[in-house]
């Protein structure tokens, strides 16, 4: 297929086929650094540029929710100096970017087990959430100390607590699912439509397990530090051409 000349605008993405929730496993920072004989930390640092580009593209393409996997519950088992570098980078990025994100109408949210984070980081996150709570252009959600299984167990625990005194109708799966979802970190949000993973691995690595039940999965070999606006747009365009079935027979209207 030939590419459109650069002076011609690319065809717009049909709003009806635009993902409402895009989730990204930002993987490949370490390999990017290793290929350049740099410390892994430099790869994480360079990844920030890709985060900025992705946010810009998500705003331009009018994606309502973007969830970025920044640090998993399993990443705690990396060497202490790498964990430390990642946390410092996270704090630094948050402090530096908050004004601009707020000015651009970005609502910030964080999902994950905050109890494992430094109290100072927890405060910073709360401030960012509070300050941007009324912004509506893009809901940017950062998953830190997040694991899909942790999220599911949290929801189960909350469900049990909420219904400690009054019995829940366990026989109605729709009621049960609704009640269960209220306890997830993403309560009230649409499910993940498009799940992107950079870095070439084809696995979920415990990201948004419940929420991605019917996500379209997009794997690219591009290492996260090389991901950019065009790469994000390519993934969204690919998504807009998918036929989603949700278990139905082909060709049935599922909208
Ligand atoms: C992803 O890059 C960033 C985090 C997991 C925090 P990696 O650090 O996993 O990079 P690779 O997979 O080793 O290349
Ligand atoms: C997933 O990447 C977590 C993040 C991108 C934050 P990992 O690099 O930790 O995943 P595995 O270990 O290769 O599955
Ligand atoms: Mg990795």
């Amino acid at each position: 297929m030939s590419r459109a000349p650069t002076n011609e605008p690319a065809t717009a993405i049909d709003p009806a086929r635009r993902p409402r929730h895009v989730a990204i496993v930002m993987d490949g920072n370490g390999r990017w650094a290793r290929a350049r004989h740099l410390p892994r930390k430099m790869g994480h640092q360079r990844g920030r540029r890709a985060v900025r580009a992705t946010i810009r593209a998500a705003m331009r393409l009018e994606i309502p929710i973007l969830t970025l996997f920044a640090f998993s519950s399993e990443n705690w088992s990396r060497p202490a100096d790498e964990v430390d570098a990642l946390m410092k980078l996270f704090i630094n990025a948050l402090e530096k970017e908050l004004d601009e994100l707020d000015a651009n109408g970005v609502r910030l949210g964080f999902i994950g087990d905050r109890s494992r984070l430094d109290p100072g980081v927890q405060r910073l996150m709360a401030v960012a959430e509070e300050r941007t709570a009324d912004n509506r252009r893009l809901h940017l959600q950062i998953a830190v100390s997040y694991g899909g299984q942790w999220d599911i167990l949290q929801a189960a625990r909350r469900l049990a607590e909420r219904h400690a005194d009054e019995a829940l109708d366990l026989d109605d799966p729709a009621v049960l699912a609704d009640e269960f979802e209220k306890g997830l970190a993403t309560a009230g949000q649409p499910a993940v439509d498009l799940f992107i993973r950079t870095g070439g691995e084809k696995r979920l690595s415990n990201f948004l397990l419940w929420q991605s039940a019917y996500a379209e999965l997009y794997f690219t070999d591009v290492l996260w530090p090389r991901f950019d606006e065009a790469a994000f747009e390519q993934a969204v365009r690919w998504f807009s051409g998918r036929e989603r079935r949700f278990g139905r027979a082909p060709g049935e209207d599922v909208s």
Side-chain angles (χ1 to χ4, degrees), residues 26-31 40 78 197 201 203:
M26 309 185 288
D27 195 27
N29 296 348
R31 277 162 285 161
R40 291 176 61 82
R78 291 195 179 193
R197 181 175 187 136
E201 308 289 1
R203 52 180 174 250

Side-chain angles (χ1 to χ4, degrees), residues 92-107:
N92 201 270
L94 198 53
E95 282 174 339
K96 285 217 173 107
E97 309 285 347
L98 183 58
D99 285 347
E100 198 182 327
L101 289 170
D102 189 25
N104 278 311
V106 176
R107 174 183 166 195

Side-chain angles (χ1 to χ4, degrees), residues 25-34 40 43-44 69-72 75 78 82 86 197 199 201 203 223-225:
V25 179
M26 309 185 288
D27 195 27
N29 296 348
R31 277 162 285 161
W32 180 89
R34 196 177 55 208
R40 291 176 61 82
H44 299 313
F69 206 5
F71 191 88
S72 75
N75 289 149
R78 291 195 179 193
E82 184 170 348
L86 281 163
R197 181 175 187 136
E201 308 289 1
R203 52 180 174 250
L223 301 175
W224 179 250

Side-chain angles (χ1 to χ4, degrees), residues 151 154-156 158-159 162 178-187:
D151 198 1
Q154 277 287 101
R158 287 177 179 155
L159 188 68
R162 253 186 295 129
D178 272 1
E179 285 300 309
F180 178 80
E181 284 183 348
K182 285 180 190 162
L184 288 170
T186 54

